[in-house]
Amino acid sequence: AEMERTFIAIKPDGVQRALISEIISRFERKGFKLVAIKIVIPSKDFAEKHYHDLKERPFFNGLCDFLSSGPVLAMVWEGEGVIKYGRKLIGATDPQKSEPGTIRGDLAVVVGRNIIHGSDGPETAKDEINLWFKPEELVTYALNAEKWTYG
Ligand code: DAT
Ligand code: MG
């Protein structure tokens, strides 16, 4: 299996709306493996680093204020194709355009409160994992079900 890792975060709205277990269960039941997890309140400065690619956008300041407004559940998930498929589980950026069955489609209504973040490619996944986690916070282990998930 071609294993990769992606950074997934439940934003302050998802935490406050008590959607942590609902969201984690979707990644877990799919067959992906949780290799890092913590709850943190990011500073505004940290939020700006996380979203640095969007600094020219008109919503950048509000977005960074929002991300730093409360606890965020930061995670790293591992599995074959997890970067791209994780984005599929999440759905489109605007929940109005997310398909039913996706996390944003089922659980969110507006783009400014779309409850979850997921890395959009291999480079951003690497950068975001390094920004949010120290190497020793990433746990390498075998899941017994792996042989049933992957054959
Ligand atoms: P995604 O989170 O799907 O990767 P993105 O990286 O383009 O989307 O934008 C990051 C976040 O910024 C997004 O989850 C919600 C917010 N955002 C994006 N476009 C927006 C817009 N037009 N108005 C308000 N917020 C927006
Ligand atoms: Mg993005």
Side-chain angles (χ1 to χ4, degrees), residues 51-68:
Y51 279 128
H52 69 273
D53 283 349
L54 299 171
K55 63 176 174 290
E56 308 302 335
R57 308 296 293 274
F59 55 82
F60 178 71
N61 190 54
L63 176 64
C64 295
D65 273 338
F66 174 61
L67 192 72
S68 58

Side-chain angles (χ1 to χ4, degrees), residues 37-122:
I37 185 166
K38 63 182 170 187
I39 189 156
V40 290
I41 303 179
S43 66
K44 177 88 182 275
D45 184 67
F46 190 93
E48 287 171 359
K49 283 196 181 98
H50 171 75
Y51 279 128
H52 69 273
D53 283 349
L54 299 171
K55 63 176 174 290
E56 308 302 335
R57 308 296 293 274
F59 55 82
F60 178 71
N61 190 54
L63 176 64
C64 295
D65 273 338
F66 174 61
L67 192 72
S68 58
S69 69
V72 170
L73 193 80
M75 298 175 278
V76 178
W77 286 87
E78 182 182 289
E80 191 170 320
V82 70
I83 300 172
K84 207 168 179 190
Y85 207 89
R87 296 277 297 187
K88 247 177 156 147
L89 290 177
I90 289 169
T93 301
D94 181 352
Q96 297 284 341
K97 296 179 179 140
S98 305
E99 294 299 325
T102 65
I103 291 166
R104 286 168 174 165
D106 290 348
L107 306 171
V109 183
V110 297
V111 69
R113 296 293 184 270
N114 63 7
I115 69 170
I116 182 168
H117 168 84
S119 305
D120 63 10

Side-chain angles (χ1 to χ4, degrees), residues 13-33:
D13 50 346
V15 172
Q16 294 298 338
R17 291 181 53 210
L19 295 171
I20 290 173
S21 59
E22 167 72 36
I23 291 169
I24 286 180
S25 77
R26 292 184 182 215
F27 282 83
E28 189 181 36
R29 288 180 302 175
K30 168 73 174 168
F32 294 140
K33 176 160 67 180

